[in-house]
């Protein structure tokens, strides 16, 4: 008797996988292993300037993350930053890989001497 599917597995997979023949299941396992290996490899790659938003200033680039400065718009339609005025900032962020995704942590408003 097969074990119960993990609760994290989407229903369409939990219901569909048991219906597959042995060859399809082996192919699926091989494909899943390749996906996991590719994600792990990508996770080890450093964050580069190409991964960061446009108009940023890179401060540090370590093997696992990058620290950078960014000027941003606030979203208020009445603020000049939304048209031709200066953007707000600079703000300091640390970017890092989480699987295939580049995530970032806000580190605070940067001091003028940080850049």
């Amino acid at each position: 008797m097969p074990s119960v599917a993990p609760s994290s597995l989407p229903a369409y997979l939990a219901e569909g996988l048991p219906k597959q023949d042995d060859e399809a299941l082996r192919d699926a396992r091989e494909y899943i292993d390749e996906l996991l290996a590719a994600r792990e490899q990508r996770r080890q790659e450093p964050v580069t300037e190409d991964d960061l938003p446009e108009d940023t200033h890179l401060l540090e680039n370590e093997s696992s993350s990058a620290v950078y400065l960014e000027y941003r718009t606030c979203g208020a339609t009445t603020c000049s930053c939304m048209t031709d005025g200066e953007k707000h900032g600079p703000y300091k962020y640390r970017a890092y890989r989480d699987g295939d995704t580049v995530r970032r942590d806000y580190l605070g408003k940067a001091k003028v001497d940080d850049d």
Side-chain angles (χ1 to χ4, degrees):
M1 183 97 181
S3 63
V4 176
S7 61
S8 62
L9 197 62
Y12 68 92
L13 289 176
E15 295 166 6
L17 284 173
K19 299 175 185 175
Q20 306 305 307
D21 63 20
D22 291 353
E23 182 180 359
L25 288 173
R26 285 187 192 93
D27 290 345
R29 180 175 47 198
E30 183 178 334
Y31 178 66
I32 290 167
D33 289 343
E34 289 171 3
L35 284 175
L36 289 170
R39 284 187 179 181
E40 182 59 33
Q41 180 180 356
R42 181 86 170 131
R43 196 175 284 122
Q44 302 304 318
E45 294 176 4
V47 175
T48 66
E49 286 190 72
D50 292 339
D51 297 311
L52 303 177
E54 290 184 28
D55 298 328
T56 59
H57 176 70
L58 190 62
L59 296 177
E60 303 170 25
N61 199 353
E62 303 165 358
S63 62
S64 61
S65 66
V67 176
Y68 66 96
L69 298 179
E70 181 179 3
Y71 288 84
R72 301 187 54 127
T73 57
C74 65
T77 56
T78 58
C79 185
S80 64
C81 74
M82 297 299 290
T83 55
D84 57 353
E86 288 188 23
K87 294 181 179 181
H88 303 282
Y91 301 103
K92 192 184 255 189
Y93 293 91
R94 178 181 311 279
Y96 61 95
R97 293 207 184 278
D98 181 10
D100 291 337
T101 305
V102 174
R103 301 208 185 276
R104 63 189 196 160
D105 291 331
Y106 175 67
L107 302 178
K109 184 148 174 127
K111 297 176 187 168
V112 176
D113 62 340
D114 280 347
D115 57 356

